[in-house]
Every structure is written in C-alpha cells, then in structure tokens.
Amino acid sequence: MSQEDKQELKEVPVNGNVSLSGEIPPDFRLTPCCEVPKAKHPRPVPEGAWEMSTEGILGPDSQHAYVQRWYSMVQQEKSGSVKFQVVRNDSKRESLMLLLGLKNVFVRQLPNMPKPYVTRLVFDRKHESTILTKCTSSREYVVMGGCCYRPFLEERFAEIAFLAISDSEQVRGYGTRLMAYTKERTKELGLTHILTCADNNAVPYFKKQGFSKTITLEKERWQGYIKDYDGVTLMECVLNPKVDYLNIPSMLKAQKMCLIEKLKEISNIHIVYPGLDPEIRKKIRLEDIPGLKEGLEQSERSLGKTIPLESLAAPRDPASLQALHKELQQILTQIKQHQSAWPFLEPVDPEQTGALDYYEVIKNPIDLRTIQERLDRGDYYVTKEIFAADLKRMIENCEAYNGEKHFITELAHNLERFFNQKL
C-alpha cells in the first residue's frame, strides 16, 4: 500500500465506539472530512421547545448500508485480513506470483477473454494492477481479485483492461474498495481520467463507481490508445483531486451536516416541541398542538396564501367515522381469525417466548390486541391509512427481530398478504 499503509488507513475517522471485529456498533458516528461551519442565523427556539443537534437530526451513521460496508472493509484492512497493493512486473518473484494469481482470477471470472491475451496484458511491463489479497487460516495471502490498467502518463489518463473479484468474495464491498484504491493510485500518478470498455454486464458496476457513458476527455488525448472491442461501451470516470476516494462516507457526512446547518436558517428542522399526551386526544384543539401553528405560518409565507387550520385535520363526521370503524372491525376480526395470526394476538411476553431483549431491539411494539384497543377507543383510527400503518409496523417489527428466514416471519408475511387484500 505504501505511504505507511496509507497513513494507517487515514486513521479511520470515527466517533463513538469502535469494534475491531468488523461488526459496526449501533451508535457508530463518522467524523466529517472537514470542519463544518455552523448556521449563521438559525431560527430561534420558542419557549417550551428545545434544539436538536445536527448529529441528533442525522442519527447514527451505522444505519446506512454503505457505511456498514465501508466500516467492515476498513476494519479488515486494519486487522490485516485483507490487503490492497499495487503490483507491476518488476521481475521479482513476489510480484510475479501475485500477477500469476491475478491472471488466474481474470481467466476464471472473465471466460470470454482469451487466456493468452489476459496473460500478455497482466504481465506487460507497461501495465500495473491493484491486487486484493486475503489472509487464509494458514496465514498465507491468496489473490481474490484485482484491477489491471495501463497508465498513459503523458496523456494523463489510464485505461482499465480487466477488473474482477472471485465468486466467493463478491457482494461484500470488495469491488467498490478495489476501485477506490485504483482511483487513489491514478491520482498519485497525476492522471485526471480513467477510461474502460465495459460489456453489458459490467456497465451497472462502473456506473455505481462514478463512470459515465459521456466522454469528456478530448478525443485526441485517447484516440489510438484505447483498444476497440465489439459489443462494449466506452465509459469514463473524471478524477477529482480533492476527493479522498478511500473515505467517501466521511465526505458525505460533511455534506449532510452542511445541508442541515443551512436548513436551520430557513426551516424549523432543529426545533423539537414536546409531544402530546395520548390520553387527552379528544380534548386538544389544533391550535394547541405545539409547533403546528408556527409551521403553518411558515408554509403560508412560502406559498403566499392562507391555509385554514381546519384543513389539516382528518374529517370527523360522526357517521363517516362510525362507518369506517365498522369496516375496520370487520377486517380486524378476519385478521385475528387467520391461521397465521396466532403469534401476533397479544403483546410479546419476553419470559414466555424467550425473547428477553425484545423491547430493547423493538422500540415501537404493536400487536393485534393493542390495535383492537385503539379501535375500541373510537378516536385513534380516523383514517384507514393509520390502521394499515400499525399492521405494517407489526410485520416490520417481526422481521427486524426474527430475521427474514424465521418461520414466524413467514407467518407474518402470510398475514400481510391477507390483510393487504382486505385493505
């Protein structure tokens, strides 16, 4: 990797707990790549409300799949279980063994490419390769994939010839990380563009990595250097010298924080009002709901027209509500009688079911008995959408706790299909 292993992988910008096992902590927060300026004139917080921080608005970064993959990859690199390194044919035994392993991966993963052609380019001294190796149980590093490319230093671009990851290591983020190292390497060489000829199967991957079918590089710089193949698409990636491609999540964090700070000046995104007491729903007036009037006034200024406060409420015609509740009761009765409904009839009993951590994992539990109680109150389900939202949350809670393949989740999906037909 060189440069002191990329300055210890850029020292992994994180806040909060860090797990060296590769599993991201639930409260994991990234440190932005740069200092984010605070809002100059945020909207004042009214009396009785409080201000939520920018970090609080964004929430933990561990909720994002791209951060989870990035975190796992960084931890694997820090532990030494995987390595990315640039290799050229310098006639040294170690380099030749790595290139031989990479050639075998390309031949196996790219069966349409002639073996002699792959061999010639991989071992060509004008080409170089970013190689992914993984440590085995015997503490030996085995080539699992790589990217072979040729830098054209005078023309300041590189052409990717081959890129592949072994079957066993795909869909784990290695392809994205491999491309990030390749981009950083081409930046070190002073190059501004990367070109490649992608077949139909590879086009989606390259699009995700920032490649485009629109070629902005001057034709005279690449014409005559790029190999022309039938049935392929020429694609281009423009390199930004200011972007650290190995730490994209921390750059995105800075951009999101900057956006939140700007929004504080034109909206109430940072203002939190106290919640409502569900026991006094029948007695509260719309104008007494904290923040509703202020938000309405803001919308009126933006739209340039008056919005009647009453228009925000669902219709409360007694006859219509009675008809709605009768329909919902019929649907709920059929749901409770369904053969897949038995796990959801009552609130989860941690002792009886063995799910001792259920209420630690599931923060907003719901079940058919609770739904029945809300329906009996007469003032909760004022629309069918609110009723459907509770049913949907019950299914989502089940899948979140039990996993996709658990038999209880299968029952939940059976029940979901049934009530979707009824609704």
Side-chain angles (χ1 to χ4, degrees):
M1 248 185 291
S2 76
Q3 294 183 12
E4 286 299 314
D5 282 343
K6 286 286 183 184
Q7 192 185 335
E8 196 62 16
L9 297 176
K10 302 286 184 174
E11 298 179 346
V12 193
V14 300
N15 284 333
N17 298 327
V18 175
S19 167
L20 292 179
S21 66
E23 182 178 347
I24 190 167
D27 61 344
F28 175 82
R29 294 181 186 272
L30 285 159
T31 298
C33 65
C34 61
E35 186 176 353
V36 177
K38 299 294 183 181
K40 293 181 179 179
H41 304 289
R43 290 196 168 180
V45 179
E47 185 179 354
W50 63 91
E51 181 177 359
M52 181 176 285
S53 67
T54 299
E55 282 283 1
I57 295 172
L58 292 174
D61 297 299
S62 51
Q63 65 183 303
H64 304 297
Y66 72 92
V67 175
Q68 295 169 11
R69 290 191 294 269
W70 173 86
Y71 178 91
S72 174
M73 193 62 56
V74 169
Q75 297 307 309
Q76 289 182 61
E77 291 175 55
K78 286 180 69 69
S79 67
S81 60
V82 298
K83 287 183 179 180
F84 293 88
Q85 54 195 113
V86 177
V87 181
R88 303 189 73 149
N89 184 358
D90 54 8
S91 299
K92 295 180 181 179
R93 184 179 186 279
E94 181 182 2
S95 300
L96 293 174
M97 292 298 293
L98 288 171
L99 292 173
L100 179 61
L102 181 61
K103 183 268 295 183
N104 292 336
V105 171
F106 287 154
V107 169
R108 197 163 54 244
Q109 298 299 130
L110 307 171
N112 294 330
M113 287 292 178
K115 185 175 180 180
Y117 176 65
V118 173
T119 304
R120 179 165 61 84
L121 290 193
V122 170
F123 286 93
D124 178 38
R125 294 181 184 272
K126 294 179 181 178
H127 285 70
E128 66 180 37
S129 301
T130 306
I131 297 181
L132 160 66
T133 58
K134 193 168 187 179
C135 187
T136 64
S137 56
S138 59
R139 305 302 298 172
E140 294 180 345
Y141 282 92
V142 177
V143 176
M144 290 297 180
C147 177
C148 177
Y149 51 92
R150 178 176 175 180
F152 293 92
L153 299 181
E154 291 186 8
E155 291 73 23
R156 299 182 66 198
F157 77 90
E159 181 200 9
I160 293 178
F162 312 113
L163 188 150
I165 302 290
S166 295
D167 282 334
S168 60
E169 304 300 331
Q170 292 183 6
V171 200
R172 298 186 181 183
Y174 291 119
T176 298
R177 195 68 173 170
L178 177 64
M179 181 59 73
Y181 270 102
T182 301
K183 290 176 180 178
E184 285 298 309
R185 170 58 179 170
T186 50
K187 279 170 52 185
E188 289 177 4
L189 296 173
L191 309 185
T192 60
H193 295 71
I194 302 177
L195 299 179
T196 189
C197 291
D199 61 25
N200 291 335
N201 294 326
V203 167
Y205 164 79
F206 281 106
K207 279 188 176 180
K208 289 180 180 179
Q209 306 308 319
F211 283 72
S212 169
K213 296 180 182 179
T214 302
I215 310 302
T216 61
L217 185 65
E218 298 88 345
K219 197 169 185 179
E220 52 269 21
R221 281 176 59 182
W222 60 266
Q223 194 172 33
Y225 295 95
I226 298 295
K227 304 170 186 64
D228 191 18
Y229 306 104
D230 293 330
V232 297
T233 302
L234 181 63
M235 302 186 73
E236 170 196 86
C237 177
V238 181
L239 299 172
N240 189 324
K242 296 181 180 180
V243 172
D244 179 0
Y245 292 101
L246 294 174
N247 283 311
I248 290 293
S250 63
M251 181 189 72
L252 294 177
K253 177 67 175 287
Q255 291 176 341
K256 288 190 286 187
M257 291 181 70
C258 185
L259 179 60
I260 295 296
E261 294 298 332
K262 288 295 183 182
L263 286 173
K264 288 180 181 180
E265 299 181 2
I266 60 173
S267 74
N268 297 339
I269 188 173
H270 57 298
I271 300 174
V272 181
Y273 292 89
L276 299 176
D277 184 347
E279 299 303 322
I280 60 170
R281 287 173 60 92
K282 289 183 177 179
K283 302 175 184 178
I284 196 166
R285 301 178 304 167
L286 287 176
E287 53 266 30
D288 293 334
I289 298 176
L292 183 59
K293 187 176 180 180
E294 292 82 353
L296 185 61
E297 291 173 351
Q298 176 187 332
S299 299
E300 289 177 339
R301 286 194 296 270
S302 300
L303 297 174
K305 64 179 183 179
T306 302
I307 304 174
L309 196 61
E310 296 76 17
S311 66
L312 302 179
R316 299 295 181 96
D317 174 57
S320 299
L321 274 180
Q322 187 176 7
L324 174 64
H325 291 161
K326 184 177 180 180
E327 180 187 0
L328 296 182
Q329 183 60 68
Q330 292 174 347
I331 295 173
L332 183 58
T333 299
Q334 294 179 61
I335 292 174
K336 291 193 289 185
Q337 292 173 349
H338 193 274
Q339 60 184 2
S340 297
W342 61 267
F344 312 102
L345 293 174
E346 301 288 334
V348 172
D349 185 332
E351 296 293 337
Q352 185 177 353
T353 61
L356 300 179
D357 61 344
Y358 183 82
Y359 293 103
E360 296 177 10
V361 177
I362 303 301
K363 302 302 182 184
N364 294 296
I366 190 69
D367 58 271
L368 294 176
R369 191 181 81 180
T370 303
I371 293 175
Q372 181 66 69
E373 292 173 350
R374 291 178 173 180
L375 184 58
D376 292 341
R377 279 173 45 179
D379 63 337
Y380 194 92
Y381 295 123
V382 294
T383 67
K384 188 180 289 188
E385 288 74 19
I386 300 175
F387 179 78
D390 271 355
L391 290 172
K392 183 179 180 182
R393 180 154 56 90
M394 184 176 72
I395 305 303
E396 292 174 346
N397 286 350
C398 175
E399 185 170 339
Y401 186 80
N402 297 297
E404 295 182 5
K405 298 183 179 180
H406 198 279
F407 81 98
I408 295 292
T409 305
E410 293 179 6
L411 294 176
H413 289 314
N414 290 338
L415 193 63
E416 182 180 28
R417 285 189 288 270
F418 175 75
F419 67 65
N420 279 340
Q421 293 175 352
K422 298 298 179 181
L423 294 170

